[in-house]
Amino acid sequence: MVINENILQSAGAEVRHYTPSEIIFCEGDTPNYYYQIITGEVKLNNYSEDGKEFIQNILSEGQSCGESILFIDKPYPMNAEAITECSILRLHKTIFFNLLNESPELCMEVSSFLSQRLYYKFIMMLNISSQNPSIRLKGLMDYLKSFQDDTRPYSFMIPLTRQQMASLTGLCVETAIRTIKHMERDKIVKIENRKILY
């Protein structure tokens, strides 16, 4: 969790509800709010000129979305779209900045979270630059598993669909499916009931 929900609600955050595929904010919009997910999943994405979706990140309960853009005077460079039914806390950015000014601890927590996001971006950039789809997918799985205590092989179930994994790594879904099957053959992953264990 980035910021305790009680702190946000006592500061005046409102709860907004979104249905699957509903847009929370659009590329080009001016950032005016801090958003934190209470329940559900949200994807940050862009679309190419030919309509192909590129997913930058998938966020879930307790995570915030688009918060880094609040600190600069620029429009959103991506969309935020609900994947599932979502409840999201929304706090105006002036109140958000007041909270950070009043609490050095909160400011450090938000800074730590932003650093994790930046780390993810660097890891994904490094992996996506590879032409090898196995390296791209393994890099994504390594990052996702890095937040788990259990590091044994096959102890972590990848919480993404094959389509989401493809979109996050810039692969077409057929290539992702084929590569995951090769990874299973090479004993990098195990597939049980269509779930990928890493």
Side-chain angles (χ1 to χ4, degrees):
M1 170 131 357
V2 182
I3 300 175
N4 184 295
E5 289 177 15
N6 294 330
I7 293 172
L8 292 173
Q9 288 178 329
S10 64
E14 58 180 341
V15 178
R16 305 286 298 249
H17 301 283
Y18 298 88
T19 56
S21 299
E22 193 171 351
I23 301 297
I24 298 151
F25 58 76
C26 290
E27 183 177 351
D29 285 353
T30 300
N32 288 316
Y33 295 95
Y34 171 81
Y35 296 95
Q36 187 166 299
I37 303 165
I38 302 170
T39 59
E41 287 188 327
V42 171
K43 61 182 173 180
L44 301 180
N45 67 4
N46 296 96
Y47 291 94
S48 65
E49 292 152 7
D50 60 359
K52 182 182 178 190
E53 180 183 36
F54 179 73
I55 298 176
Q56 295 185 21
N57 208 343
I58 294 178
L59 308 169
S60 58
E61 181 178 321
Q63 294 184 300
S64 58
C65 52
E67 70 293 324
S68 60
I69 313 302
L70 291 173
F71 292 90
I72 56 175
D73 189 25
K74 302 284 185 190
Y76 285 116
M78 74 293 202
N79 308 299
E81 184 180 329
I83 298 174
T84 62
E85 295 278 338
C86 291
S87 295
I88 298 177
L89 281 164
R90 185 177 91 160
L91 184 68
H92 196 274
K93 75 175 185 179
T94 54
I95 303 171
F96 171 67
F97 287 142
N98 287 341
L99 282 177
L100 296 184
N101 285 330
E102 292 167 7
S103 172
E105 296 84 15
L106 192 58
C107 195
M108 284 302 292
E109 286 175 33
V110 171
S111 296
S112 173
F113 183 75
L114 290 173
S115 296
Q116 287 178 11
R117 285 275 173 83
L118 192 57
Y119 176 76
Y120 166 77
K121 289 286 183 196
F122 280 123
I123 295 292
M124 292 309 294
M125 266 193 324
L126 180 66
N127 290 316
I128 286 175
S129 66
S130 172
Q131 295 299 309
N132 184 330
S134 181
I135 289 173
R136 291 187 188 193
L137 289 166
K138 187 174 183 311
L140 174 63
M141 293 181 204
D142 283 341
Y143 174 76
L144 294 171
K145 190 171 179 175
S146 71
F147 295 99
Q148 308 303 311
D149 293 330
D150 191 344
T151 58
R152 292 173 302 154
Y154 317 127
S155 62
F156 176 63
M157 187 180 80
I158 302 297
L160 304 171
T161 66
R162 284 148 178 82
Q163 177 65 63
Q164 290 169 335
M165 292 175 74
S167 295
L168 280 163
T169 54
L171 299 169
C172 68
V173 69
E174 295 81 8
T175 301
I177 291 168
R178 189 170 52 248
T179 303
I180 290 165
K181 286 180 183 172
H182 288 287
M183 292 171 81
E184 181 184 33
R185 190 185 62 220
D186 295 340
K187 301 193 183 326
I188 297 168
V189 300
K190 187 186 285 188
I191 299 173
E192 290 181 359
N193 300 323
R194 300 210 43 175
K195 302 292 183 187
I196 301 167
L197 302 176
Y198 179 62

